[in-house]
Amino acid sequence: MVHEATDRTRGLVDRTRTELRSQAASQQRHLATGLRALGDELGQMADGAQDPGFATDLVQHAADATGRAAQWFEGREPVDVLHQVEDFARRRPGLFVALAAGAGLLVGRFVRGAKDASDRGTGEERPDPAAHDRTEGGGTPPAVLAPSVPDPAAPQTTGGETFVERP
């Protein structure tokens, strides 16, 4: 009975390990493909610049670095990448944290931009998160609380005096 449970546990661990390796390899290929595409786009931007200068050089350097990073990921196994990252984090922890934070911000901005672009492309409007709070408990519906935009030609009243703006 114990032997059978041990064998099942080992089988489960082996299957899980295999699945994780497969997923890590897939994600690494996806990352390399994305980096390669980004590098290509940056290279096209630099090549298409009408007035080359410092910014064009920076974009070309970014394209080259992105292409090298894609090649680096393509030439390694996921376990090797993990070991390289661990070694770097041990040697330069401050820089590692700064790079990780910067990468997180960039990825977050990219994902948010992609989501916003997707929402605009489908014509969907995102719900107002505060609308639920305003209507809960018998409150005023959001449409009533929304500020109205005054008509510029209409008279404006301030402190008992009426002003009319004329173009």
Side-chain angles (χ1 to χ4, degrees), residues 94-119:
L95 182 57
F96 175 76
V97 169
L99 289 172
L105 287 173
L106 288 175
V107 168
R109 301 271 304 166
F110 176 75
V111 169
R112 183 174 179 176
K115 183 178 183 301
D116 289 347
S118 172
D119 288 349

Side-chain angles (χ1 to χ4, degrees), residues 41-95:
E41 284 185 40
L42 290 172
Q44 289 172 0
M45 285 174 51
D47 292 343
Q50 298 295 329
D51 187 20
F54 182 70
T56 304
D57 291 341
L58 284 175
V59 171
Q60 186 60 53
H61 287 303
D64 294 341
T66 305
R68 285 191 308 271
Q71 189 174 14
W72 187 85
F73 278 108
E74 290 168 345
R76 288 180 172 60
E77 292 294 319
V79 170
D80 296 334
V81 172
L82 180 62
H83 289 302
Q84 294 271 336
V85 170
E86 287 174 344
D87 289 343
F88 178 76
R90 268 191 228 101
R91 284 181 283 131
R92 311 275 312 265
L95 182 57

Side-chain angles (χ1 to χ4, degrees), residues 15 25 40 66 93 101 142-143:
R15 282 192 305 272
D40 291 346
T66 305

Side-chain angles (χ1 to χ4, degrees), residues 14-29 77-79:
D14 288 343
R15 282 192 305 272
T16 302
R17 186 176 293 139
T18 301
E19 182 65 27
L20 287 174
R21 282 184 184 145
S22 173
Q23 287 179 3
S26 173
Q27 290 300 317
Q28 186 174 331
R29 281 190 303 274
E77 292 294 319
V79 170

